[in-house]
Amino acid sequence: MSTPPRTGLWLIGARGSVATTTITGAAALAAKLQPPTGLVTETPPFAGASLPPLDTLVFGGHDTASCPLPKRAEALAEAGVVPPGLPSALRAELACADAAIRPGAPAEACDRSGEDALIDSYAHDITDFTRTHGLARTVVVNVASTEPHPADPEGPLPPSSLYAAAALRAGCPYVNFTPSTGLHHPRLAEAARAAAVPYAGRDGKTGQTLLRSVLAPMFAQRALTVRAWSGSNLLGGGDGAALSDPAAAAAKNAGKERVLADNLGALPEGEVHIDDVPALGDWKTAWDHIAFDGFLGSRMILQTIWQGCDSALAAPLVLDLARLLARADEQRLTGPVEGLGFYFKDPDTGPADLHGQWRALLGLAERLTPGAGDAA
């Protein structure tokens, strides 16, 4: 029996909480140490889609951090993000992934004169990883901290866009799981068309916005007028520190607002506030206050509280997207992949409501099934 081809997963921000949870989780699932809770691609609708098996995924990435993955995983276990004992049981797998991590981009955008050399260097890291490990293909996923949107579209590329350009140059499928600019920079539009690879983004929909994509259509479908929709996020860890920058927070909130505007027809009054609370670590509390009118102008209120761990919510989605993009690449799909809006606050294509996005995702699963769209 032939050995199935292996697929690379190259993570931008490879030593962060989301990446570490993703790598630890994939290794745990491959070893049958944990069930695939939260992994949509392990549910029956995707059984025939020929997605890469979890035990064929190989991890590497870029990061500016130096803390080794085994130690980072131990810290997440102490915080309750991953089960105790799991990092020690998977120490060899984590060390192997850590050995494939390469130094990342500087926090600040470089001068335009130095961009091409940086992009070339990052693309070389990715192609070398693919070649060294004998991989059929590598999917690049950005899970780094949120950066502000660039003020000048003709200025230097921000780090997220340097990585996106490197993925294109390496001929790799690309996912932007963050609200950072990434592949959406106007200077990369032509390169994206020329690269002819599948891509998806942006900003993974893990908690508060996931709930908004369910509730907003409910109000619209029941003809209830939403007067105001306000929210607050309390979080710590790297995300909390990054989003304490007002410009980064604005980039994050843009996707949250788009979900409301697209589903309600207009953006209601209210704002989302993001507060850095270091004591919360990797845990987050999101609160929404919705003021709406009922029959005869009766004024009503709905409040929701979402408490969870973003890393544990995000990791299975990262694995889903990597597997789906790898299969899309195998079927020679190019450009923004139809049907992946289910995973994003600010999707490239498709409906804005979760039910519509779910139906579109099931349609993608059907198209990925052998015989439905494979090249002759």
Side-chain angles (χ1 to χ4, degrees), residues 199-210:
Y199 56 83
R202 61 185 163 175
D203 201 2
K205 185 165 57 186
T206 58
Q208 184 180 43
T209 311
L210 176 66

Side-chain angles (χ1 to χ4, degrees), residues 304-376:
T304 66
I305 298 176
W306 179 291
Q307 293 179 300
C309 174
D310 252 7
S311 299
L313 290 163
L317 307 188
V318 172
L319 292 173
D320 278 347
L321 286 162
R323 300 174 81 195
L324 290 164
L325 263 291
R327 176 62 177 150
D329 187 57
E330 185 179 19
Q331 285 203 308
R332 301 179 186 175
L333 301 183
T334 63
V337 178
E338 297 281 347
L340 293 178
F342 180 78
Y343 292 100
F344 297 105
K345 296 182 181 72
D346 192 11
D348 291 311
T349 62
D353 65 295
L354 192 69
H355 179 67
Q357 291 171 340
W358 172 245
R359 292 176 62 86
L361 181 60
L362 294 181
L364 174 61
E366 292 178 4
R367 296 195 303 276
L368 296 180
T369 299
D374 285 300

Side-chain angles (χ1 to χ4, degrees), residues 63 67 117 192 213 225 247 290 304 362:
D63 207 327
C67 180
S213 69
T225 302
I290 308 159
T304 66
L362 294 181

